[in-house]
Amino acid sequence: MAETERPTHPASADDAWARTARHASGTTFFFDFDGVLSPITKKPGDSQPVAAVPAVLERLATKVGRVAIVSARPVDFLRDRFPTLTHVDFFGLYGLEMLHEGEVVTKPAALDYVEPMKALDAAARAAFHEPVEVEYKRLSVALHFRNCPERAAEVEQWAHERAEREGLKIQGGRMVVELKPPVNQDKGMVITETVRDSATAWYFGDDMSDIRAFDALRAREAADPGFFGMAIAVANNETGAEVSDAADLTLVSPEAVAKFINDGLNRF
């Protein structure tokens, strides 16, 4: 394969790793957190990366140009889960926050919603009690119905009514509905901005919001024949086949993600 030739999709893992090794300094790896680096948990606050992940990410960061976690979680949550990582970037709340030089930087357009989100969190807690889980994220409020799927319609209706009344955006996910500021920001936009100087990029995701990141890789490929993107899905029975159908390759679990990265690095 010539250096300027882009593998066709779906590329094999072998081809993708071979290209990554050749272009390591110009490669970026992006990972979602929940469902990709951590198993999904019944309570959102219980989520932790699988044991092998921190060391694998740190090793990866020494081999390629950039490693980043792009999550619906706040940056402070991610920083708490990865206290030992020193070479991994954090993008929280779909990119509304990022960790820059040790400080959390927030998109200015979202700052006006800090107080409204506090009020929304209080309203949600008044409306719902366990088994519905209300997760306050400073710039968004997520309503989890994993422990009571029979209440999905009720929770989603409440969220949509509040969003319409208060001019907020709705983000659906795996057994969750989230209310966010009406700011034009998603995971795909993070990828688009971050890969401008990359020759190769990988994105690992498991949820509907991750498809936009996959699409951003495809768009970059269409604009730049010298760029190659690899979209990796992590299988689950909640988003059906849609995420896997949008990806080049599907892995079975967060543990499999850690092993896949570790095995791939052995080819360098």
Side-chain angles (χ1 to χ4, degrees), residues 60-118:
L60 178 65
T62 68
K63 299 291 187 180
V64 300
R66 190 175 190 181
V67 177
I69 298 174
V70 185
S71 174
R73 301 284 195 158
V75 164
D76 282 345
F77 176 97
L78 298 173
R79 188 160 49 177
D80 180 68
R81 266 54 181 183
F82 294 101
T84 64
L85 292 188
T86 57
H87 299 97
V88 176
D89 296 326
F90 297 145
F91 292 87
L93 301 177
Y94 308 94
L96 290 177
E97 296 179 336
M98 71 170 292
L99 186 65
H100 179 68
E101 296 181 350
E103 298 294 330
V104 178
V105 178
T106 302
K107 292 280 186 179
L111 288 174
D112 289 341
Y113 290 88
V114 172
E115 292 302 319
M117 286 300 167
K118 287 182 181 178

Side-chain angles (χ1 to χ4, degrees), residues 19 44 51 53 66 75 90 100 107 125 127 129 133-134 138 141 174 177 192 197 202 211 226 240 246 249 264:
R19 181 181 175 89
V53 159
R66 190 175 190 181
V75 164
F90 297 145
H100 179 68
K107 292 280 186 179
R125 292 180 189 279
H129 303 281
E133 295 283 343
V134 179
R138 188 175 77 100
V141 175
R174 292 178 60 180
V177 60
T192 298
D197 297 322
W202 298 62
I211 293 178
L249 176 70

Side-chain angles (χ1 to χ4, degrees), residues 17 50 88 147-148 160 172 188 202 204 207 217 236-237 268:
W17 276 115
V50 297
V88 176
N147 299 324
C148 51
H160 280 83
W202 298 62
F204 293 71
D207 210 341
L217 294 181
N236 64 84
N237 60 6
F268 279 50

Side-chain angles (χ1 to χ4, degrees), residues 63 120 150 173 223 227 236 250:
K63 299 291 187 180
L120 181 63
E150 71 281 359
F227 175 84
N236 64 84
T250 297

Side-chain angles (χ1 to χ4, degrees), residues 110-210:
L111 288 174
D112 289 341
Y113 290 88
V114 172
E115 292 302 319
M117 286 300 167
K118 287 182 181 178
L120 181 63
D121 175 60
R125 292 180 189 279
F128 298 106
H129 303 281
E130 291 188 350
V132 177
E133 295 283 343
V134 179
E135 182 186 11
Y136 172 63
K137 304 183 184 180
R138 188 175 77 100
L139 292 175
S140 71
V141 175
L143 306 175
H144 299 262
F145 46 86
R146 176 172 305 282
N147 299 324
C148 51
E150 71 281 359
R151 298 183 65 184
E154 172 196 354
V155 173
E156 289 175 346
Q157 180 179 349
W158 187 92
H160 280 83
E161 289 175 353
R162 295 293 299 214
E164 184 174 358
R165 183 190 316 168
E166 300 177 26
L168 303 174
K169 295 178 71 173
I170 288 286
Q171 176 69 58
R174 292 178 60 180
M175 310 296 281
V176 62
V177 60
E178 187 167 359
L179 294 101
K180 309 189 301 182
V183 177
N184 188 25
Q185 181 65 50
D186 59 38
K187 292 180 179 180
M189 296 174 69
V190 172
I191 305 314
T192 298
E193 290 291 324
T194 308
V195 301
R196 287 178 175 174
D197 297 322
S198 297
T200 301
W202 298 62
Y203 187 94
F204 293 71
D206 72 311
D207 210 341
M208 302 304 294
S209 63
D210 297 310

